[in-house]
Amino acid sequence: MKRSIAFLGIFASIAAGIITASPAAHAAIGGCTYRTTYTDTAGYYTSIPTVGLRGTNFCVLSRGSSNLGVYELQVTLFLCYGQDTNGLDGDFGPGTEAALKRVQASLGLTADGVYGPNTRDALKWAWRTSAGNQRCLKLTQAPGPLHD
């Protein structure tokens, strides 16, 4: 009987959102493998990490990742936050991790150095034009609708 009550209490807590996912929850989300470029109605474009071309942007990047999604994260960290990632090379090494931790802390996020959906939504991304104009906006602030 006590076990049943304890089980129901845990189940109710999870259902109510009182118990949250641990940092290991990042492992349940797939890794970003590429980038997808979005253009807004003002003619600015940005590229964000995704799973494949035009895939989901619900993905993670961490130390050891190496792809165009990492490159786009590095561009945003550099252009919008003035962070040196030790190069714009598409390799998520210690410099990118340290830069990301500093930005996450400045945004009030857990500074774990792992890029995921919470970081994606909090970042102001580097939006550019072919004429060389640049601005930094969250994805939700761009004049929409966005298209790829």
Side-chain angles (χ1 to χ4, degrees):
M1 178 71 167
K2 288 182 183 180
R3 286 185 195 176
S4 296
I5 292 172
F7 175 77
L8 289 175
I10 292 170
F11 180 76
S13 295
I14 292 170
I18 295 169
I19 298 175
T20 59
S22 68
H26 283 301
I29 300 173
C32 306
T33 58
Y34 200 64
R35 68 177 177 197
T36 296
T37 301
Y38 297 94
T39 304
D40 67 18
T41 57
Y44 284 79
Y45 68 89
T46 192
S47 297
I48 63 169
T50 55
V51 177
L53 179 62
R54 295 187 182 106
T56 181
N57 60 25
F58 194 77
C59 56
V60 298
L61 291 169
S62 59
R63 192 187 286 208
S65 298
S66 181
N67 56 56
L68 290 173
V70 174
Y71 171 80
E72 295 300 338
L73 176 62
Q74 291 171 330
V75 167
T76 284
L77 293 173
F78 179 72
L79 292 177
C80 296
Y81 296 94
Q83 294 295 313
D84 179 13
T85 61
N86 291 333
L88 304 176
D89 57 7
D91 290 327
F92 199 124
T96 301
E97 182 180 57
L100 182 58
K101 283 181 179 181
R102 288 189 294 272
V103 170
Q104 287 172 324
S106 76
L107 296 172
L109 301 171
T110 300
D112 59 4
V114 176
Y115 167 88
N118 291 338
T119 300
R120 177 203 61 219
D121 292 344
L123 283 177
K124 289 187 176 182
W125 290 89
W127 292 80
R128 307 166 304 270
T129 67
S130 57
N133 299 320
Q134 184 254 317
R135 64 183 180 189
C136 297
L137 295 173
K138 290 183 177 185
L139 294 173
T140 56
Q141 295 172 322
L146 302 180
H147 61 85
D148 57 3

